[in-house]
Amino acid sequence: MSEPVTTSFCREHGKLVDERFERDMRDIQRHENMISEIQKLTLEISALVKQNDELVKNHEQRLAAVEKKPSMWLERILSGALSVVVSAITAALFSGKIKF
């Protein structure tokens, strides 16, 4: 049948198991350290993305304000010109130069 297990075999097998266990524990610790570092980097990236989003939003607002300026000036010029024309017509009507 089968031979009995010797004490020396058990010790050798135990050493092998212990070595594997130590290696596995080192690997687990190394992976835990890596995961911790990845979590820190993820938080940093998240903060940078948030900061970048705020900067982009600020730039969009500033750009919109800059883009509005020419149209605001054009509106003022047209409004002024329209006021001058209406004032001239009104003055001409009151002075009697134009009759309906």
Side-chain angles (χ1 to χ4, degrees):
M1 294 197 154
S2 62
E3 297 178 24
V5 178
T6 64
T7 307
S8 64
F9 175 79
C10 286
R11 276 191 219 124
E12 289 177 26
H13 186 68
K15 286 180 184 178
L16 181 64
V17 169
D18 287 343
E19 289 173 4
R20 287 180 183 169
F21 181 74
E22 286 178 27
R23 186 185 65 228
D24 291 345
M25 288 304 293
R26 282 193 309 266
D27 288 346
I28 289 172
Q29 185 61 45
R30 188 170 46 95
H31 291 140
E32 285 177 352
N33 292 340
M34 288 176 156
I35 289 171
S36 177
E37 186 66 27
I38 289 171
Q39 287 174 335
K40 289 177 188 175
L41 292 173
T42 301
L43 290 174
E44 289 177 16
I45 289 172
S46 176
L48 288 174
V49 167
K50 185 176 180 180
Q51 182 182 14
N52 189 41
D53 286 345
E54 291 173 6
L55 285 173
V56 167
K57 189 182 295 183
N58 183 21
H59 284 199
E60 287 174 354
Q61 291 171 349
R62 292 174 58 198
L63 183 59
V66 169
E67 288 174 342
K68 272 184 159 181
K69 281 189 177 185
S71 66
M72 288 173 46
W73 279 103
L74 182 61
E75 288 176 11
R76 288 181 182 172
I77 291 170
L78 291 176
S79 177
L82 184 61
S83 296
V84 168
V85 171
V86 170
S87 298
I89 292 173
T90 304
L93 283 174
F94 284 123
S95 67
K97 293 182 180 178
I98 299 177
K99 294 183 181 181
F100 283 102

